[in-house]
Amino acid sequence: MNRIDRKFAELKEQQKPAFIPFLTIGDPDVRTSIDIIKQLEQSGASIVELGVPYSDPLADGPVIQRSSQRALGSHQISIRDCIEAARVARSEGCELPFILFTYYNPVLQLGLDKIFPLLQESDISGLIIPDLPMEEDQEVQTLAKAHGIHLIPLVAPTSKERIERIVTRASGFVYCVSSLGVTGTRTQFHSGIDQFIETVRAATTLPIAVGFGISTHEQFAKFAQSCDGIVVGSALVRQVEEVLPLFADSATRPQALQQIDDFVSKLIGS
């Protein structure tokens, strides 16, 4: 069984939502990203999205854009580096399911014939490609299925009549976008978000996760009532950004990881 399926089954028995943090790999460096992944597991993460730094991230707001710029500027982090980070984290005892979050251009540059064997070798369970439309994903769908990797779709409130078509092709879970526009913390979500989630729920038996803009415990708790998972990206990436100076010194690295743990504990209410 795919690790994502197993994790959602476990959490369903426990009547708990999945906490799914997003992390830009290579910000500030790959070794630190691996340490943060391991800390997130200890802090209560269920699944981790490994963000591939990209120079033109259409779906990402300024916080994640800055993290990508740091990763690309300092170490020229590639999609291979991100996949390798998962392999190393797994070899160091991390049991979390991993999802690679990448735009399609890095996938094409690496090659469809190469990426799926690498994902499989590094025990990455899922793949999200936000700029790959359903109408053009057949080859990726076929390869993902052949390698036992879930291709996880994003569904937005504007998807409307496409919702059913999108979710019937989904595997792993369905990622519901809570807000219009790019990623980033928010105080308000799309006015029809509750109805939107109900519409998606009616169209699939897969778990439903919601993301884009969730940054507080109150927001996390709200969506935990209607969704199987909550994705937190910009708020965590901003937290990493705030403790970057502490990661620069080996003496203060434990303090940086502790601040990330404190942030997660407050967010999920653990």
Side-chain angles (χ1 to χ4, degrees):
M1 180 186 285
N2 185 295
R3 284 180 185 264
I4 291 172
D5 302 327
R6 190 159 59 240
K7 177 56 70 174
F8 274 112
E10 283 174 16
L11 293 168
K12 185 175 182 179
E13 285 188 4
Q14 298 167 7
Q15 297 184 318
K16 292 181 179 179
F19 166 46
I20 309 174
F22 168 98
L23 188 67
T24 302
I25 302 302
D27 179 30
D29 56 72
V30 173
R31 180 63 252 177
T32 300
S33 293
I34 293 167
D35 290 342
I36 294 172
I37 290 167
K38 292 163 70 175
Q39 179 61 61
L40 289 169
E41 181 172 38
Q42 293 178 24
S43 300
S46 310
I47 300 167
V48 172
E49 287 185 14
L50 310 175
V52 176
Y54 188 51
S55 58
D56 189 22
L58 300 178
D60 293 320
V63 173
I64 294 177
Q65 285 183 26
R66 288 197 303 270
S67 70
S68 285
Q69 289 166 1
R70 288 191 296 268
L72 291 170
S74 299
H75 301 285
Q76 298 182 325
I77 300 300
S78 69
I79 191 169
R80 280 184 178 271
D81 295 324
C82 298
I83 295 170
E84 174 66 7
R87 188 196 65 77
V88 173
R90 185 74 75 225
S91 73
E92 294 182 4
C94 187
E95 293 294 329
L96 289 175
F98 296 133
I99 297 169
L100 193 73
F101 187 109
T102 179
Y103 291 88
Y104 195 45
N105 187 267
V107 173
L108 280 180
Q109 288 185 354
L110 178 57
L112 289 176
D113 59 328
K114 294 178 182 177
I115 187 170
F116 286 98
L118 287 174
L119 294 175
Q120 194 173 44
E121 290 166 13
S122 292
D123 199 8
I124 292 176
S125 303
L127 179 64
I128 297 175
I129 308 177
D131 60 342
L132 179 62
M134 171 187 65
E135 292 81 5
E136 299 174 24
D137 73 355
Q138 187 55 59
E139 187 176 6
V140 176
Q141 280 273 8
T142 301
L143 287 167
K145 187 174 182 179
H147 289 83
I149 294 164
H150 289 315
L151 183 62
I152 299 157
L154 271 65
V155 185
T158 52
S159 298
K160 296 182 180 178
E161 69 278 356
R162 299 176 77 244
I163 289 175
E164 188 167 353
R165 291 170 57 208
I166 292 170
V167 302
T168 54
R169 298 167 60 81
S171 64
F173 64 91
V174 177
Y175 188 146
C176 291
V177 176
S178 66
S179 310
L180 304 180
V182 297
T183 60
T185 59
R186 286 174 170 79
T187 56
Q188 291 184 326
F189 298 94
H190 184 265
S191 59
I193 183 65
D194 295 327
Q195 181 59 51
F196 166 56
I197 290 171
E198 287 180 16
T199 300
V200 176
R201 177 75 71 191
T204 183
T205 58
L206 290 174
I208 292 173
V210 65
F212 278 50
I214 298 164
S215 61
T216 68
H217 174 64
E218 290 73 24
Q219 293 168 347
F220 187 95
K222 166 187 163 52
F223 285 114
Q225 295 175 10
S226 59
C227 298
D228 306 291
I230 297 99
V231 180
V232 177
S234 294
L236 175 62
V237 173
R238 177 181 285 124
Q239 184 63 38
V240 172
E241 183 176 57
E242 289 177 1
V243 298
L244 284 177
L246 298 177
F247 279 123
D249 187 332
S250 59
T252 54
R253 283 175 72 86
Q255 184 182 342
L257 292 170
Q258 182 60 53
Q259 288 192 30
I260 291 172
D261 178 63
D262 292 344
F263 166 79
V264 171
S265 295
K266 185 176 180 180
L267 177 75
I268 67 176
S270 62

